[in-house]
Amino acid sequence: LLAPARSFSVSSLQALTLYNNAFVLHHSGAMARRAEVASTTLEDQVGNAVHLVWLRPPTAGESHDFTDFARAHGLPALCRVLLNSNEFLFIP
């Protein structure tokens, strides 16, 4: 079978547009609220958000880094980062 392959084409302008897109902002806030309702601790909320986006639990290092990030910038900001991650945007 012949399968087309998409070459890497994300520019910094595309990444910034997606990162600041109203749709992404709205849904990252909704995802953060969903994670907050499901768990009481920030660590569990982060794990919940990662699982929603990546369909896997975060590694210990990811969990630590993401929890620190969420503590400093808020869970909606972390959800926006996750929605703009390569692991979410690109199929290997």
Side-chain angles (χ1 to χ4, degrees):
L1 285 173
L2 181 61
R6 181 172 183 251
S7 62
F8 186 75
S9 64
V10 176
S11 70
S12 57
L13 181 59
Q14 288 171 312
L16 286 171
T17 299
L18 182 58
Y19 188 73
N20 293 310
N21 183 281
F23 181 85
V24 174
L25 291 169
H26 171 78
H27 288 284
S28 61
M31 187 170 68
R33 287 187 297 278
R34 180 177 171 181
E36 289 167 345
V37 167
S39 305
T40 56
T41 67
L42 184 59
E43 293 79 9
D44 289 343
Q45 292 168 358
V46 166
N48 207 336
V50 170
H51 194 270
L52 286 171
V53 177
W54 291 347
L55 301 177
R56 66 166 179 83
T59 65
E62 289 168 342
S63 183
H64 179 266
D65 292 345
F66 291 163
T67 300
D68 286 348
F69 182 89
R71 192 171 286 117
H73 303 285
L75 193 58
L78 174 66
C79 292
R80 189 166 49 157
V81 167
L82 293 171
L83 290 173
N84 282 279
S85 65
N86 282 344
E87 190 163 342
F88 177 70
L89 293 174
F90 296 103
I91 299 170

